[in-house]
Amino acid sequence: MTLMPACKCARPATSPGSCRFSYFSPGQSGTAISSMNALAALLLLTAIQIATSFAATAVLTVSPLLADTLGISARWVGVYTAVLYAAAACSSIWFGNRVHRLGAFQASRWRLALCASGMLLIASSHVAGVLAGSVLMGLGYGGITPASSYFLSQGAPLKHCSLLFSIRQSGVPAGAALAAVLVPAMVQHLGLPWAFLAPGIMGLLAAVAFTARSAQELRQTAQSGSAASTQASVWSLLATHPPLRMLVLVAFVFSGLQVTTLAMLVPFLHGFQQMSIEQAGLLLTLLNLVGVVFRLLWGRCVDRGMPALRMLALSGLLGALGFAILACAAFSVVAPFMLFVAAAALGVAVVAWNGVLFSEIAILVPREEVGRATGLCVFAGFVGVVVMPTALTLAIEQRVASGLVFVLGAMLSLHVGWLTWRRAPRKGA
């Protein structure tokens, strides 16, 4: 069964109506047998985003236990993170250049299959299997955002653009929160291998069952067989669209800080704040759930007139607050509720930002360039994810060094907040 668009919204949108799609059976190219609107397609893409985020975060939620099983130091989590996101960075650029002719739905199907296969390899509980699994999950994870951004840019009403992109991006913290709740519980009740084996099997079955295709995917091969080779370099977008440079910088810093926080929070709380793995996982869940809520709130605020750069500036200030609290906890005793305040502030700051950022890309560049521009920003984000956690999580076993990492996080967040505040449009400008 294939997914065929019955209409296509112009960009920018000229009416508040959403784009609608219809299912057609092969061989029945003119008769609709059922229908699905753009919201259903958005939810489907968001579900895939949740699944791939779950896979990418699962190891981080039980990293001390997995390190003990593998017989290696807990600081290996930085290497795992670097391998996963280095593969994702390469995948984002490659896929961003080709999404216009591969299509969002079928590409998402294969990305889901890659992530699921990576989970199965990690279930082997061998160092080689974990590293190979991280490569496969990175290759799958890197192409998800350019694919769904390209799909949404083809028909999303401009007046709801930030909210729709934020709904899609809410799948990332939602998947991370789900992993923080389920994976430790599965380890406790089923054992470490099944905590990865069961989701991996489910992901592969879902990828096999997912056969929806859009008309764009059916016709692009004939229309653009050699289009990718004739396009200018993706890096030329930075010259032709200068505002992309600030978005690339924000993606680099906030992505790096986001994954550094995810990688360090549980080991820091468990090792230096006398929390159990379950209690530390609860704070990680709080961080991600706050991120989900504020992705939607930020998207709605921007759609109603708040400048996107102003929102990013506020995120930087809140990030500085959250990291400052964690730094204080590393160097002195803080009230337990302050750790919850830090987790909530960091959820708003380093988790909730990118739905609005990706919607700005879709508004800034022509729609045929959205996949490439999104891939470029995703690449910058993944480079930040590779560089920062690789270097900073080396401090994961030392209290004072962890505190210095949090101080650096506060300084970087504050710097991004200052830069974006300066460039945000003023009232009446």
Side-chain angles (χ1 to χ4, degrees):
M1 187 173 288
T2 60
L3 181 65
M4 306 287 288
C7 71
K8 188 175 184 178
C9 295
R11 185 182 177 276
T14 57
S15 77
S18 62
C19 192
R20 294 193 64 81
F21 302 84
S22 297
Y23 279 113
F24 292 89
S25 294
Q28 293 180 310
S29 58
T31 306
I33 60 175
S34 63
S35 65
M36 180 176 74
N37 62 23
L39 178 60
L42 171 63
L43 293 177
L44 182 60
L45 292 172
T46 302
I48 296 174
Q49 195 102 35
I50 291 173
T52 55
S53 177
F54 180 101
T57 311
V59 167
L60 303 181
T61 65
V62 290
S63 56
L65 299 179
L66 186 56
D68 289 342
T69 300
L70 297 175
I72 57 179
S73 169
R75 68 178 59 183
W76 73 273
V77 69
V79 177
Y80 162 83
T81 303
V83 171
L84 188 151
Y85 287 102
C90 297
S91 177
S92 67
I93 287 290
W94 185 90
F95 187 71
N97 273 327
R98 292 164 176 81
V99 64
H100 66 284
R101 60 189 177 89
L102 296 178
F105 284 94
Q106 284 303 296
S108 296
R109 176 192 188 188
W110 287 108
R111 301 308 185 197
L112 179 61
L114 285 169
C115 288
S117 299
M119 292 284 282
L120 296 179
L121 286 175
I122 291 175
S124 67
S125 297
H126 290 89
V127 174
V130 171
L131 290 177
S134 69
V135 171
L136 288 183
M137 287 197 293
L139 292 175
Y141 191 59
I144 293 296
T145 300
S148 52
S149 287
Y150 177 77
F151 177 82
L152 290 176
S153 71
Q154 306 306 297
L158 192 62
K159 64 183 292 186
H160 301 307
C161 187
S162 292
L163 179 60
L164 292 175
F165 275 75
S166 295
I167 291 172
R168 187 278 312 274
Q169 285 303 121
S170 69
V172 176
L178 194 63
V181 170
L182 292 182
V183 174
M186 292 175 70
V187 169
Q188 182 178 2
H189 296 289
L190 300 176
L192 187 63
W194 276 102
F196 298 97
L197 191 61
I201 293 173
M202 292 174 62
L204 281 180
L205 292 176
V208 171
F210 180 46
T211 58
R213 299 187 71 183
S214 67
Q216 172 257 351
E217 290 173 278
L218 294 174
R219 66 174 180 261
Q220 284 298 327
T221 301
Q223 291 180 344
S224 57
S226 62
S229 62
T230 61
Q231 289 180 332
S233 167
V234 67
W235 307 106
S236 66
L237 293 172
L238 295 177
T240 56
H241 303 285
L244 268 180
R245 300 169 193 170
M246 175 56 67
L247 300 182
V248 166
L249 174 63
V250 172
F252 172 81
V253 174
F254 276 175
S255 293
L257 291 178
Q258 178 180 347
V259 177
T260 298
T261 303
L262 294 175
M264 291 193 66
L265 189 63
V266 170
F268 175 75
L269 296 175
H270 178 63
F272 305 122
Q273 301 298 312
Q274 289 74 52
M275 285 189 177
S276 67
I277 290 290
E278 291 76 14
Q279 291 172 324
L282 177 63
L283 261 71
L284 186 61
T285 300
L286 171 66
L287 182 149
N288 283 292
L289 289 179
V290 169
V292 171
V293 172
F294 270 85
R295 283 193 181 191
L296 304 180
L297 289 177
W298 283 143
R300 184 60 175 162
C301 288
V302 171
D303 284 335
R304 294 178 68 88
M306 181 182 185
L309 290 180
R310 187 66 52 82
M311 183 281 294
L312 294 172
L314 292 175
S315 296
L317 295 177
L318 287 170
L321 172 64
F323 283 120
I325 293 173
L326 292 180
C328 290
F331 295 120
S332 62
V333 178
V334 300
F337 82 91
M338 291 300 294
L339 297 175
F340 285 85
V341 172
L346 290 172
V348 177
V350 300
V351 176
W353 56 274
N354 58 6
V356 169
L357 184 141
F358 288 127
S359 72
E360 283 298 294
I361 296 172
I363 294 171
L364 178 65
V365 304
R367 66 180 185 179
E368 64 271 13
E369 299 284 5
V370 168
R372 301 173 68 227
T374 301
L376 179 60
C377 281
V378 171
F379 174 81
F382 286 150
V383 170
V385 166
V386 171
V387 172
M388 290 189 194
T390 302
L392 300 183
T393 55
L394 295 176
I396 210 165
E397 294 179 331
Q398 300 179 9
R399 186 186 191 102
V400 173
S402 296
L404 294 176
V405 168
F406 296 138
V407 169
L408 178 60
M411 294 173 63
L412 289 172
S413 295
L414 194 60
H415 183 61
V416 168
W418 176 70
L419 288 177
T420 50
W421 187 273
R422 284 181 57 202
R423 287 165 173 77
R426 303 294 190 267
K427 287 185 178 181

